[in-house]
Amino acid sequence: MSGNSFGSIFRVTTYGESHGGAVGVVVDGATPGVDLCEADIQCDLDRRRPGQSDVTTPRAETDTVRILSGVFEGKTTGTPILLIIQNRDARPSAYDEIKDLFRPGHADYTYFLKYGIRDYRGSGRASGRETAGRVAAGAIARKLLSRRGITIRAYTKRAAGIECKTIDFDEIERNIVRACDPEAAREIVAKIQAARDEENSVGGIVECRVSGVPAGLGEPVFDKLEADLAKAVMSIGATRGIEFGLGFALADMTGKESNDEMDADGFVSNNCGGVLGGISTGDEIVFRVVFKPTSSIAQPQRTVDKEGAEVICRTEGRHDPSIFPRAVPVVEAMVALVLEDHCKRHAALHA
Amino acid sequence: MSGNSFGSIFRVTTYGESHGGAVGVVVDGATPGVDLCEADIQCDLDRRRPGQSDVTTPRAETDTVRILSGVFEGKTTGTPILLIIQNRDARPSAYDEIKDLFRPGHADYTYFLKYGIRDYRGSGRASGRETAGRVAAGAIARKLLSRRGITIRAYTKRAAGIECKTIDFDEIERNIVRACDPEAAREIVAKIQAARDEENSVGGIVECRVSGVPAGLGEPVFDKLEADLAKAVMSIGATRGIEFGLGFALADMTGKESNDEMDADGFVSNNCGGVLGGISTGDEIVFRVVFKPTSSIAQPQRTVDKEGAEVICRTEGRHDPSIFPRAVPVVEAMVALVLEDHCKRHAALHA
Amino acid sequence: MSGNSFGSIFRVTTYGESHGGAVGVVVDGATPGVDLCEADIQCDLDRRRPGQSDVTTPRAETDTVRILSGVFEGKTTGTPILLIIQNRDARPSAYDEIKDLFRPGHADYTYFLKYGIRDYRGSGRASGRETAGRVAAGAIARKLLSRRGITIRAYTKRAAGIECKTIDFDEIERNIVRACDPEAAREIVAKIQAARDEENSVGGIVECRVSGVPAGLGEPVFDKLEADLAKAVMSIGATRGIEFGLGFALADMTGKESNDEMDADGFVSNNCGGVLGGISTGDEIVFRVVFKPTSSIAQPQRTVDKEGAEVICRTEGRHDPSIFPRAVPVVEAMVALVLEDHCKRHAALHA
Amino acid sequence: MSGNSFGSIFRVTTYGESHGGAVGVVVDGATPGVDLCEADIQCDLDRRRPGQSDVTTPRAETDTVRILSGVFEGKTTGTPILLIIQNRDARPSAYDEIKDLFRPGHADYTYFLKYGIRDYRGSGRASGRETAGRVAAGAIARKLLSRRGITIRAYTKRAAGIECKTIDFDEIERNIVRACDPEAAREIVAKIQAARDEENSVGGIVECRVSGVPAGLGEPVFDKLEADLAKAVMSIGATRGIEFGLGFALADMTGKESNDEMDADGFVSNNCGGVLGGISTGDEIVFRVVFKPTSSIAQPQRTVDKEGAEVICRTEGRHDPSIFPRAVPVVEAMVALVLEDHCKRHAALHA
């Protein structure tokens, strides 16, 4: 109801502010009797944590996760799993000068108007740091999904005007922008470094492909699989759009061109992106999500303070000149949460 | 859980199949004491119903709505409002020849795999006819939102490769494709008629603008306003993507270009589309949604039957060569459901 | 959220007022592919309908149910099942004289204070007539539960000071008060007739026994099976208490006396009523629920009108001098809704 | 869905096992801008914690609570509040000898059958220790309710066959069994000590009275206030029944005797216990709940082990010979959770 929980049967609730005591998540509804340890979760958190490279924020957080409940003798018990990640490199005082003004592109203004109170330390709850809880929960979902043969891979597809020409899954973790094409990766890195040097930031598109999804997942009519995926992914900060399969290009096409015909071997094409009528077809699920350029830039920008007076804002702090490299594991996590939940929902239907 | 309900406080559940006894909706959580009669609902239904023009299906349904509960002496009572729309021009026998095969682009295959049983009469529950219930519920939501000063307008922005150059709200209901530019409307109509004559169909983009939204709506982190809107709109059949504000164009921009600065008069620009950090800014909410070309085309297409044998499918029936003209009120309805619910959620937070 | 829906996976929403257009229910989440026809539902409705005997209201309603969606060729499709029961013997004008006053023991006062508007015709939504929707939905749940080998039996255990000494399931439908002991039944009938002749009413206790429940149902910690059953049963109008197993007698007992020991054949006793730690033990579930005497009595009673002025109220209308005989199938229905939902929840946990 | 969350708008999720890393709760939906500190919560926890007297368990836990999120500069921010209570006096090895057998009256057998895995250390999740999270969350709810003028008081009404004759709220915290009558309190203490010396335990009845509740709370038809209270209270371990107002005594009464008449000053009596038609009347809410005798007794009892072999069980450990003195604050907490949630639900209805 208050927007901090996600999922219906496999359900997670994240908590925590950027510079508060801790961030994390409660995971409820995990299948009992499944092997689970902190290392299973840490590997995904390491892909999200700050300080990985010079195209991301230098904030130094190890993001070490601890499991405080729900696991006994190395196995899930079916009870809530509390995951906690202490904030270590919190420097709340660094935010003193922005506490009374609203940074452009940030949630400062809207949080203040919504709640009447704002934890201004590093955006508080609106910080990207909240996604650590999502990634931790997503790691558990992935572990459960791996038992079902489902694999989720996201990567940078386009950024700063550079489009990846090839898709090589092995390449993704080899470059610091998590692009699927080594050539494009080099160009994107150069563009980001240039933007950073100009105290600016860049946007990008993350593509996600999910294989091994059985046909039949999704709950029409409102909880269509693409609708739930769209919500999941659009709930990540800085996203501004999502498209499945051929996406917006379909506006200029005909039914004859876009329909996916079938033959004895299954679907002949996958223009729909793996979902028809809100239910998975069994083919690969494919979608792209666009991230706006990071809002935090050091260049001076016009804004107002709490009293409405015009002021010039320079966001110093420790920020990412591009968010999509670290958003890649967050996209994967959100997809994992949706799919594990829908697997359980589908099982419940036929129970 | 089974995907037939939407909303948390203002909550609707649609029911009904295309050629069953009736379609409709139960609306729960409407504010008591508000004037409501069938005419309030009928006007929106008339914009959605089939047979409006020669670019939509000729199926003859009056889509007359009846209120069976929840209204007493012309006012809402706070109890569930059951709306029922009888199916009149149902011709289930017209579907005999497709009952054992899977039409390309349709949900036939996926429904069969999900449920193990399929109401093949006009797509059953997967039919666009289900959206009559959404539009009826949306009309109630709009009535409630009008008390709050919120206005929702959707229109065709692009179709069959033709883009609207101007946005004139008065023009929308003057042309049969509900485009916002009379010039473009004429071209789009011609393209659709040509497609229909070739037994083909076309896709398009619907844009939606919402004015009068107060700052503060939306529930971070998972129920961000754009996330809930994305889910709502992507739950409409045939949608393949959604983008807010500058949308996918942000992938090629910098933070300096895309951030919305503020001055004493408020936001200087609205690149974000009216939502920051998942909460409405008070500016206009703007998004675009793409509809794929209608799947039902009379041209022969390859597919398989239930036994997996290859067959040729020709979808005769009575179908829309373009879906977006009738989808415009459905988009508005889904937005209304989201906003009325979020208004109530916001009130509950501060109660 | 507004209290008109029940269940989480197998979820029902009732609608309708006593003297409005219709009453009924939407059932969502029923397993697809199960045989279902109107006769399956009608038999339970006939046990609840008014006019069965001279110890219940003479209102003449056939309570004929129609299925308008969700069933195709005699089988459930997994989509929402809309059930509708037209109101036929509605006489709203009979309530003109009570429209401005609050009948003692009724919800008139509280509905008016809650909603600010009140459908005074036969209590509107607060009427026992709303339970027709519950019984109809419960009939579907029972059908699904019968596939699992679960049987639910409720009966009058005590009323008007008369306690049943024996429990004979075959006896229940043979007497008009649905008592489990023919001797007690005769005495209870006499007591009710005497009360009716004195323009008074009587209370009673309904006991329910459920057999065939597998061990393992229930979701600790908040959705313990007895907690969900308590809510379900206490949501029936006129209930004032519920107890499981030995119930309130446990206040005077010791752990040695009350613990259910086990031997190689299972539990030696069933003092707990079939639930331990919120999870079914596999033994019979046993509980008792108390119904207060019907509030509607023809004797004059003191009350106030909408302006707060003191008035004398005589509830003429057509009322039940005892509610428990007709409440028996309602109790069974609510138990069925809980159990079918928990069966699906349990399956989802292990999926 | 998995039973670890409670409430719809004001929603809590407890986590933790008796001898795991910690127990606690996430509280979501608290009104922003309200003063809150750890001391506000600690006072209620101190009434629940073990080791308070010689009629409760000697386990030594300080139950010190820490707030890790959702509070900024001493005020709630409207974001999730994570409360954590470390387990200090955990002695998991003490449970080695019961790890393979099922203690009578406990959830050992049912948890094992439900989950296929059991954290046997002090009952794991099924331990009464889980209620620390409820009491902590309840303390926040009480703080919010105090702004509304609502006061909740629970106390021991009857135990070990001794009934309180008077109700003196000031007396409750003066005696170690939290009885409302000093005379009865002395007798009850003596009975418990005798039971403990005989390696036995006793049951009891807790009564709860809520004052200051405005008329209008409760959401018919399924979420009647008494139904939600019944579920809340029956979700506490060891409860076996609940009754409102005159409760089970109504089975032997007539409508004339039991109806609450009204005059110009309001209700003349409160036989219904403060709720009519599922909605609060504005009068005191009154209910009683029965707790079975503590299952853990040192006397030898028959049971079986995991292989089904018969064994004799002696529950050594550190246990409460009576649970109701420590259950009093738990009952109050659950009532507070229900009422704060319903206050917000009511506000949302009229928003």
Side-chain angles (χ1 to χ4, degrees), chain B residues 25-39:
Chain B
V25 66
V26 183
V27 177
D28 200 11
T31 308
V34 177
D35 292 332
L36 186 71
C37 66
E38 282 149 356

Side-chain angles (χ1 to χ4, degrees), chain A residues 1 3 114 222 226 240 272, chain B residues 3 222 226 240 272 345 350:
Chain A
M1 177 63 57
K114 179 168 193 70
F222 292 110
E226 67 269 51
R240 288 291 94 187
C272 67
Chain B
F222 292 109
E226 67 269 50
R240 288 291 95 187
C272 68
R345 292 170 75 170
H350 287 284

